[in-house]
Amino acid sequence: RPRTKAELIAGHRATPQRKQAGRMTVRNLEAQTCHGGIEGHQNVVECKHAEEEKCHQELEANGVVIINEMTNSDFFVVCVDSAEEKQSLLELTNVVNLEEDYVRTLSYMPDMVRPAPDMGRNLQDYIPYGVDMIDADRFWAEKNDRGGGAKVCVIDTGIREDHEDFAGSTISGSNNAAHVATPYNNDQNGHGTHVAGTVAAADNGRGSVGVAPEAELYIVRVFSGQNAVFTASSIAMAMEECRLAGSDVVNMSLGGASASANERNKIEQLINEGIHIVAASGNSGGGANPKEYPASYPDVISVGAVDDSKKIASFSTHNSEVDVAAPGVQIYSPVSQSRTATQVNI
């Protein structure tokens, strides 16, 4: 049974039962998109359960352009250019559903980040206020545990692995170009490095310190550049990379409108293997606070943002699906501009 959010937050954990990877003849999603682009053309086909081989053959026999096969699932990413084509595809024997491959974006706005004040790179580590607010430092002392033995998979824009704030950290990542953007240790945006540092920047006498400075980081990059687009299917493939790497936690500071059966299916697979999934609630707090996904799926821990006074951040989505609030305003963390650059989100 998939665990409830309450069980996840309470820390209950099932015994992992890792599945074997299935047949994979896929191509990079960002490099290979449909004629006319992603929105309105790129769709996800759901096949009858356990009939993906027959479904694949049927799709090919009917001239359907298959962009990606979704490893360990009943889904294929395909190109469909018209309503007539969609209807024809739905009439195929082994197809049970068709949905748009919904666009996902970073939970980030460019004007939310600025260079941090000079904190003196040769002084003691800087511990962000959020570490104290959530009692992480007290946990370190009482449990003698700073995250050692835990693997946190960060699905984001990559990482500046040689940043001095990660000196001494254990970092690896996926270079499976068929599923995700590569290499994992390149960050052309800075968002991924900032998130990874918030999680696990090392306590090494330089720069900022993460909430779990001894946790192992596993980086899965879904964003290859400033103008890149990623979708629900690319998030599902990224989560599969996290699963195959033996991750304990998956972190996603990203999302978008509309639930996806494919994305939800992959989340259920990970939850059933005891993997915790955490996602940002979104940055639409100044409006109607719509549900965003993956945060709003039942088994995902949806996290909103508060400031150092524990007030809800003006930008943070706060709807009925938010489970917890965490420090998310003026958070100092490394970014990718240089090996010593630190920025603060505002």
Side-chain angles (χ1 to χ4, degrees):
R1 168 181 77 83
R3 293 167 298 155
T4 65
K5 288 188 177 183
E7 289 173 328
L8 285 167
I9 295 169
H12 292 282
R13 183 178 176 82
T15 301
Q17 295 180 340
R18 306 291 180 194
K19 299 179 182 178
Q20 297 297 314
R23 181 172 60 88
M24 185 174 66
T25 57
V26 298
R27 289 169 288 184
N28 185 283
L29 183 61
E30 289 188 337
Q32 179 73 23
T33 57
C34 300
H35 177 71
I38 289 177
E39 293 188 76
H41 300 273
Q42 192 161 297
N43 285 253
V44 180
V45 169
E46 180 179 359
C47 300
K48 290 181 179 178
H49 182 60
E51 297 291 352
E52 61 270 18
E53 190 68 36
K54 291 181 180 178
C55 189
H56 182 274
Q57 293 172 358
E58 189 175 25
L59 291 171
E60 286 194 329
N62 283 273
V64 178
V65 177
I66 301 174
I67 294 179
N68 269 300
E69 298 176 28
M70 308 295 293
T71 305
N72 283 321
S73 77
D74 303 316
F75 297 85
F76 295 92
V77 184
V78 302
C79 295
V80 183
D81 291 325
S82 67
E84 291 77 13
E85 288 182 13
K86 290 182 180 181
Q87 184 58 42
S88 296
L89 202 155
L90 284 168
E91 292 172 359
L92 297 180
T93 303
N94 293 291
V95 172
V96 297
N97 191 33
L98 177 70
E99 67 179 17
E100 185 176 340
D101 197 4
Y102 301 111
V103 171
R104 300 295 187 236
T105 58
L106 299 171
S107 293
Y108 157 84
M109 293 179 286
D111 60 354
M112 289 174 62
V113 175
R114 68 183 180 195
D118 182 5
M119 296 181 293
R121 302 302 296 184
N122 296 318
L123 300 178
Q124 295 292 319
D125 283 329
Y126 174 79
I127 299 180
Y129 75 86
V131 171
D132 175 68
M133 182 181 287
I134 67 171
D135 287 332
D137 47 353
R138 189 176 74 178
F139 180 89
W140 298 344
E142 292 181 358
K143 304 294 183 180
N144 192 28
D145 184 349
R146 294 189 169 202
K151 179 180 280 192
V152 180
C153 184
V154 178
I155 298 176
D156 214 289
T157 68
I159 190 172
R160 172 103 189 208
E161 190 174 13
D162 67 348
H163 195 289
E164 65 175 26
D165 283 10
F166 296 118
S169 299
T170 301
I171 302 174
S172 59
S174 174
N175 278 325
N176 181 0
H179 273 185
V180 296
T182 58
Y184 75 86
N185 56 356
N186 183 299
D187 185 1
Q188 298 174 325
N189 178 280
H191 187 267
T193 301
H194 195 277
V195 170
T198 302
V199 173
D203 187 0
N204 59 10
R206 286 168 281 181
S208 61
V209 179
V211 172
E214 295 179 8
E216 178 181 352
L217 287 169
Y218 189 79
I219 307 300
V220 178
R221 183 178 168 206
V222 294
F223 191 82
S224 64
Q226 292 293 340
N227 297 317
V229 175
F230 55 99
T231 64
S233 69
S234 58
I235 298 306
M237 288 188 286
M239 286 190 284
E240 176 67 6
E241 293 298 298
C242 297
R243 187 191 74 84
L244 292 174
S247 302
D248 300 292
V249 178
V250 174
N251 183 90
M252 293 178 283
S253 184
L254 51 84
S258 302
S260 159
N262 168 43
E263 193 175 48
R264 183 174 59 247
N265 176 268
K266 182 58 62 177
I267 285 169
E268 290 174 356
Q269 287 184 19
L270 270 65
I271 292 294
N272 285 331
E273 294 191 21
I275 301 170
H276 301 275
I277 302 179
V278 182
S281 64
N283 288 341
S284 56
N289 290 292
K291 293 181 181 179
E292 292 194 17
Y293 299 88
S296 292
Y297 295 119
D299 294 310
V300 175
I301 300 173
S302 175
V303 184
V306 294
D307 62 17
D308 58 0
S309 299
K310 298 184 180 180
K311 294 181 180 178
I312 297 174
S314 61
F315 58 82
S316 181
T317 302
H318 45 283
N319 55 37
S320 61
E321 296 298 330
V322 175
D323 299 292
V324 296
V329 181
Q330 293 188 322
I331 302 299
Y332 290 88
S333 192
V335 287
S336 60
Q337 284 88 334
S338 75
R339 291 187 62 251
T340 62
T342 303
Q343 286 188 331
V344 54
N345 73 319
I346 55 176

